[in-house]
Amino acid sequence: MVEKIKSKEINWRASEYEYFEKSRGWFWAVGVMASILVLIALWQKNFFFAVFVLLAVAMIFFFSRRRPAVISFRVNDAGIGVGKNFYEHDRFEDFAVRSRAGHLDEIFLKKKTAVSPYLRIPIDSKMGKEVCDILKIKLPEVEYKESLVELFSEILGF
Protein backbone atom coordinates (compact mmCIF):
# COMPACT_ATOMS: atom_id res chain seq x y z
CA MET A 1 0.00 0.00 0.00
CA VAL A 2 1.36 3.39 -1.01
CA GLU A 3 1.11 6.03 1.69
CA LYS A 4 0.13 9.52 0.58
CA ILE A 5 2.24 12.28 2.09
CA LYS A 6 0.14 15.29 2.96
CA SER A 7 1.47 18.57 1.66
CA LYS A 8 2.05 21.18 4.37
CA GLU A 9 0.72 24.69 3.88
CA ILE A 10 1.26 27.69 6.13
CA ASN A 11 -1.11 30.66 5.97
CA TRP A 12 -0.86 34.06 7.66
CA ARG A 13 -1.88 37.69 7.26
CA ALA A 14 0.35 40.73 7.64
CA SER A 15 0.58 44.38 6.62
CA GLU A 16 2.25 44.89 3.25
CA TYR A 17 4.86 47.06 5.00
CA GLU A 18 5.60 48.42 8.46
CA TYR A 19 3.96 51.81 8.99
CA PHE A 20 5.68 54.56 10.95
CA GLU A 21 3.71 57.60 12.08
CA LYS A 22 5.29 60.76 10.70
CA SER A 23 5.38 63.94 12.79
CA ARG A 24 5.01 67.50 11.55
CA GLY A 25 8.75 67.87 12.03
CA TRP A 26 9.34 65.01 9.59
CA PHE A 27 7.24 66.76 6.92
CA TRP A 28 9.03 70.06 7.56
CA ALA A 29 12.46 68.39 7.31
CA VAL A 30 11.58 66.72 3.99
CA GLY A 31 10.10 70.00 2.70
CA VAL A 32 13.21 71.99 3.66
CA MET A 33 15.53 69.44 2.04
CA ALA A 34 13.41 69.49 -1.12
CA SER A 35 13.39 73.29 -1.18
CA ILE A 36 17.18 73.37 -0.93
CA LEU A 37 17.46 70.88 -3.81
CA VAL A 38 15.03 72.91 -5.94
CA LEU A 39 16.95 76.13 -5.26
CA ILE A 40 20.25 74.45 -6.19
CA ALA A 41 18.64 73.04 -9.36
CA LEU A 42 17.30 76.48 -10.34
CA TRP A 43 20.66 78.10 -9.59
CA GLN A 44 22.30 75.54 -11.89
CA LYS A 45 19.52 76.14 -14.47
CA ASN A 46 18.59 72.47 -14.29
CA PHE A 47 14.82 72.85 -14.58
CA PHE A 48 14.21 69.17 -15.27
CA PHE A 49 15.78 68.22 -11.92
CA ALA A 50 13.76 70.91 -10.12
CA VAL A 51 10.52 69.48 -11.54
CA PHE A 52 11.69 65.97 -10.65
CA VAL A 53 12.34 66.98 -7.02
CA LEU A 54 8.90 68.64 -6.74
CA LEU A 55 7.16 65.55 -8.13
CA ALA A 56 9.22 63.24 -5.91
CA VAL A 57 8.37 65.23 -2.77
CA ALA A 58 4.68 65.25 -3.69
CA MET A 59 4.80 61.45 -4.01
CA ILE A 60 6.73 61.09 -0.74
CA PHE A 61 4.13 63.18 1.10
CA PHE A 62 1.27 61.22 -0.50
CA PHE A 63 2.69 57.77 0.24
CA SER A 64 3.91 58.67 3.73
CA ARG A 65 0.30 59.11 4.89
CA ARG A 66 -1.01 55.94 3.24
CA ARG A 67 -1.73 53.07 5.62
CA PRO A 68 -0.62 49.57 4.54
CA ALA A 69 -3.13 47.02 3.34
CA VAL A 70 -3.39 43.68 5.14
CA ILE A 71 -2.44 40.85 2.77
CA SER A 72 -2.89 37.08 3.03
CA PHE A 73 0.22 34.97 2.47
CA ARG A 74 0.63 31.22 2.02
CA VAL A 75 3.55 28.92 1.41
CA ASN A 76 3.30 25.27 0.37
CA ASP A 77 5.15 22.67 -1.70
CA ALA A 78 3.81 24.19 -4.94
CA GLY A 79 4.82 27.80 -4.33
CA ILE A 80 4.16 31.09 -2.56
CA GLY A 81 0.84 32.93 -2.49
CA VAL A 82 0.71 36.70 -1.96
CA GLY A 83 -2.85 37.98 -1.93
CA LYS A 84 -4.48 36.81 -5.17
CA ASN A 85 -1.11 36.11 -6.85
CA PHE A 86 0.61 32.75 -6.75
CA TYR A 87 4.28 32.20 -7.63
CA GLU A 88 5.70 28.73 -8.27
CA HIS A 89 9.06 27.97 -6.66
CA ASP A 90 10.82 27.73 -10.03
CA ARG A 91 10.29 31.49 -10.57
CA PHE A 92 12.82 32.19 -7.79
CA GLU A 93 16.59 31.73 -7.56
CA ASP A 94 16.99 31.73 -3.77
CA PHE A 95 15.71 33.24 -0.53
CA ALA A 96 17.08 35.04 2.51
CA VAL A 97 15.68 35.87 5.93
CA ARG A 98 16.11 39.24 7.62
CA SER A 99 15.63 39.18 11.40
CA ARG A 100 15.22 42.43 13.33
CA ALA A 101 14.62 42.68 17.06
CA GLY A 102 11.29 44.33 17.87
CA HIS A 103 10.02 44.04 14.27
CA LEU A 104 8.57 41.37 12.05
CA ASP A 105 11.08 39.20 10.21
CA GLU A 106 11.17 39.45 6.42
CA ILE A 107 11.69 36.78 3.81
CA PHE A 108 13.31 38.01 0.61
CA LEU A 109 12.77 35.83 -2.45
CA LYS A 110 15.01 36.62 -5.43
CA LYS A 111 13.10 36.35 -8.71
CA LYS A 112 14.66 35.18 -11.95
CA THR A 113 13.83 38.56 -13.55
CA ALA A 114 15.74 41.83 -13.72
CA VAL A 115 12.67 44.00 -13.21
CA SER A 116 11.52 44.04 -9.58
CA PRO A 117 13.96 41.27 -8.60
CA TYR A 118 12.83 40.75 -4.99
CA LEU A 119 9.61 39.66 -3.35
CA ARG A 120 9.60 40.79 0.29
CA ILE A 121 7.28 39.02 2.73
CA PRO A 122 6.78 40.07 6.37
CA ILE A 123 6.38 37.21 8.84
CA ASP A 124 6.48 36.42 12.56
CA SER A 125 9.81 34.88 13.60
CA LYS A 126 8.25 31.66 15.00
CA MET A 127 6.23 31.05 11.86
CA GLY A 128 9.21 32.12 9.74
CA LYS A 129 11.18 29.06 10.84
CA GLU A 130 8.44 26.76 9.58
CA VAL A 131 8.20 28.65 6.29
CA CYS A 132 11.99 28.46 5.85
CA ASP A 133 11.84 24.69 6.32
CA ILE A 134 9.36 24.45 3.43
CA LEU A 135 11.34 26.87 1.24
CA LYS A 136 14.66 25.05 1.87
CA ILE A 137 13.24 21.98 0.15
CA LYS A 138 12.78 23.91 -3.12
CA LEU A 139 15.22 26.88 -2.93
CA PRO A 140 18.71 27.52 -1.58
CA GLU A 141 18.97 29.87 1.40
CA VAL A 142 21.53 32.66 1.16
CA GLU A 143 22.79 35.21 3.66
CA TYR A 144 20.81 38.45 3.73
CA LYS A 145 22.74 41.59 2.76
CA GLU A 146 21.11 44.90 3.62
CA SER A 147 21.24 47.45 0.81
CA LEU A 148 21.97 51.14 1.11
CA VAL A 149 18.44 51.96 -0.09
CA GLU A 150 16.91 49.89 2.73
CA LEU A 151 19.12 51.57 5.31
CA PHE A 152 18.22 55.01 3.96
CA SER A 153 14.48 54.23 3.90
CA GLU A 154 14.59 53.03 7.52
CA ILE A 155 16.29 56.28 8.58
CA LEU A 156 13.55 58.25 6.79
CA GLY A 157 10.82 56.13 8.39
CA PHE A 158 9.60 54.22 5.34
Side-chain angles (χ1 to χ4, degrees):
M1 180 175 209
V2 177
E3 222 177 284
K4 220 178 190 181
I5 300 172
K6 189 175 180 181
S7 170
K8 186 173 183 181
E9 180 171 282
I10 299 174
N11 297 291
W12 73 97
R13 291 169 45 97
S15 296
E16 62 181 323
Y17 57 88
E18 192 171 357
Y19 179 77
F20 297 101
E21 191 70 39
K22 289 24 168 223
S23 66
R24 280 189 171 179
W26 183 90
F27 286 100
W28 275 104
V30 171
V32 168
M33 285 189 285
S35 299
I36 291 169
L37 286 174
V38 167
L39 289 174
I40 291 171
L42 293 175
W43 177 58
Q44 294 289 322
K45 294 184 169 91
N46 190 344
F47 303 110
F48 180 73
F49 184 65
V51 170
F52 171 77
V53 169
L54 291 173
L55 289 173
V57 161
M59 290 180 67
I60 287 171
F61 283 169
F62 175 76
F63 285 111
S64 67
R65 293 189 172 267
R66 192 182 123 217
R67 298 280 181 169
V70 176
I71 298 175
S72 297
F73 299 95
R74 72 182 184 280
V75 173
N76 59 31
D77 293 338
I80 297 110
V82 179
K84 294 178 182 178
N85 299 321
F86 190 78
Y87 305 94
E88 294 178 354
H89 290 294
D90 63 356
R91 293 182 65 183
F92 300 103
E93 290 180 20
D94 54 43
F95 77 98
V97 178
R98 177 185 184 196
S99 298
R100 300 181 302 161
H103 300 280
L104 287 175
D105 288 354
E106 293 175 319
I107 297 174
F108 288 85
L109 294 145
K110 185 175 182 185
K111 296 179 187 175
K112 292 181 179 177
T113 62
V115 178
S116 185
Y118 289 98
L119 178 62
R120 186 164 133 177
I121 300 174
I123 190 166
D124 180 69
S125 60
K126 292 178 185 174
M127 192 178 294
K129 291 175 185 166
E130 294 177 43
V131 170
C132 286
D133 290 341
I134 293 173
L135 290 174
K136 283 179 187 177
I137 296 169
K138 301 286 185 174
L139 298 169
E141 183 175 9
V142 296
E143 185 179 334
Y144 175 74
K145 295 175 187 163
E146 191 169 36
S147 72
L148 186 60
V149 172
E150 290 170 338
L151 183 63
F152 187 65
S153 67
E154 279 186 29
I155 290 169
L156 286 177
F158 274 102

